[in-house]
Amino acid sequence: MTDLLTVRPAGPSDAGDICGLLNAVDLIEIGRPETDLAAVEADLHHPDVDLARDSWLAFEGGRLVAYALVWADSGPGRVDCEHYVLPGHRAAAVRLLELTEVRARELAGGAPAASLRLQLNVEPTLDPDVLPGRGYRTVRRYQVMTRSLDPAEAPPAPPAGLTLRPCDGDAAQRRRAHALIEETFAEHFGHVERPYEPWLDHIDGRGLDWSLVWIASLPALGDVGVLLTRDDRTSMGWLSHLGVVEDARGRGVGGFLLRHGFAAYAARGRSTVGLGVDTGNETGALALYEAHGMAVYYAVDTWELVL
């Protein structure tokens, strides 16, 4: 006899159970739990999410087996979602996709070229025929790359003339970091352009240690690079954004910022540092990371459904 499928919205008090589900999926897909409770809580308190309409929990026999969340803060017609399911629960997976797609069309509001996007491990717990069967297609692949850190990792010598300054305690420096990220990531696939205040709300939602954000400058060019990192993951330090302006590329700025991040996190007692990279990135980022000892930890595909 098949267990009865029930679905209801998520609430803030469900964060612990959702975190447990996501870590169970992590364990299957990548071999270890990677989801932090704080990240789940931040998602459930996302300012653009109405949990009653934008979230779903699926239960079979009283057990939580699937979770989905949808939001639209990335510009007209772009809707994003998360979707997690334990293996063997196809009906729950499909039902949450149905609900997500209906809500996505409401959120898109008839915008031209509207789409729904989600990211899944390249070997997901979701049955592989489900998304193609519903009209989704893969549009990008990302790699999570990691590197082990030596406790004695030495800070790198900067390129000639380069200076580095942190952004802690100075609103003007934070605005400068924002401007550099917008400039250096403008052509990246999926980048969402945000004015400073919405960007600050987005980037600082879980509390960002601004002493772990740095700006690089060269005498003739001014500010040329930015490194934004986070130390709020249990498993590793995280290099969230590393960008170099086009006129300064090829001068060693990116490699210096990367090695600076390694040394900074080694000094904080971290044993591992990680980042995400678009495998279709045309700036040479993937080759840069590989050249500095970073290796693939796991990969995810971005799936898109045209609405």
Side-chain angles (χ1 to χ4, degrees):
M1 181 175 178
T2 303
D3 289 329
L4 178 66
L5 172 65
T6 61
V7 177
R8 67 166 174 83
S13 64
D14 293 308
D17 290 338
I18 295 170
C19 187
L21 172 69
L22 270 54
N23 276 319
V25 172
D26 288 343
L27 191 61
I28 296 166
E29 292 181 341
I30 59 179
R32 60 179 283 178
E34 288 285 341
T35 304
D36 293 313
L37 179 60
V40 176
E41 291 173 335
D43 286 344
L44 295 179
H45 289 88
H46 193 296
D48 294 298
V49 168
D50 175 358
L51 291 178
R53 304 174 69 193
D54 301 333
S55 69
W56 302 271
L57 301 177
F59 298 84
E60 290 184 4
R63 179 192 182 196
L64 178 62
V65 298
Y67 162 68
L69 183 77
V70 65
W71 66 94
D73 69 345
S74 302
R78 164 87 177 270
V79 184
D80 295 279
C81 78
E82 292 186 346
H83 183 281
Y84 298 90
V85 63
L86 293 176
H89 297 278
R90 185 185 183 96
V94 171
R95 181 58 182 146
L96 294 200
L97 282 172
E98 291 171 346
L99 293 167
T100 297
E101 292 160 13
V102 169
R103 180 61 175 148
R105 289 184 171 89
E106 294 174 355
L107 291 170
S115 65
L116 172 66
R117 288 182 185 170
L118 72 155
Q119 290 189 327
L120 292 179
N121 190 283
V122 294
E123 297 182 0
T125 55
L126 180 66
D127 290 345
D129 63 312
V130 170
L131 291 180
R134 300 186 66 80
Y136 291 79
R137 64 187 180 96
T138 55
V139 293
R140 215 68 170 186
R141 176 163 290 186
Y142 292 84
Q143 290 180 174
V144 172
M145 306 184 75
T146 59
R147 180 184 183 276
S148 297
L149 299 176
D150 185 328
E153 195 106 24
L162 185 142
T163 59
L164 196 65
R165 65 184 188 274
C167 293
D168 56 320
D170 190 331
Q173 297 304 321
R174 298 179 188 186
R175 286 185 176 274
R176 191 70 191 113
H178 164 255
L180 285 164
I181 287 173
E182 288 297 328
E183 179 180 353
T184 58
F185 282 81
E187 302 301 321
H188 286 211
F189 177 82
H191 174 68
V192 179
E193 182 179 353
R194 290 185 173 94
Y196 176 70
E197 294 296 343
W199 174 83
L200 188 63
D201 289 342
H202 177 79
I203 208 75
D204 203 16
R206 286 183 280 150
L208 181 66
D209 182 348
W210 286 93
S211 70
L212 297 174
V213 182
W214 297 273
I215 293 173
S217 301
L218 286 172
L221 296 175
D223 294 336
V224 294
V226 60
L227 176 63
L228 186 152
T229 78
R230 307 191 70 100
D231 199 14
D232 54 3
R233 296 187 177 210
T234 301
S235 57
M236 67 186 74
W238 189 254
L239 309 185
S240 180
H241 294 77
L242 193 165
V244 178
V245 301
E246 187 172 0
D247 289 347
R249 291 171 188 163
R251 300 174 184 235
V253 178
F256 169 76
L257 288 173
L258 187 62
R259 296 193 305 275
H260 176 80
F262 295 162
Y265 277 90
R268 293 174 71 87
R270 285 291 198 170
S271 61
T272 306
V273 68
L275 53 75
V277 60
D278 175 4
T279 59
N281 184 298
E282 297 179 354
T283 65
L286 180 59
L288 174 71
Y289 302 148
E290 291 174 337
H292 287 83
M294 304 200 78
V296 178
Y297 181 28
Y298 64 91
V300 298
D301 286 325
T302 298
W303 290 83
E304 182 178 76
L305 176 68
V306 176
L307 299 174

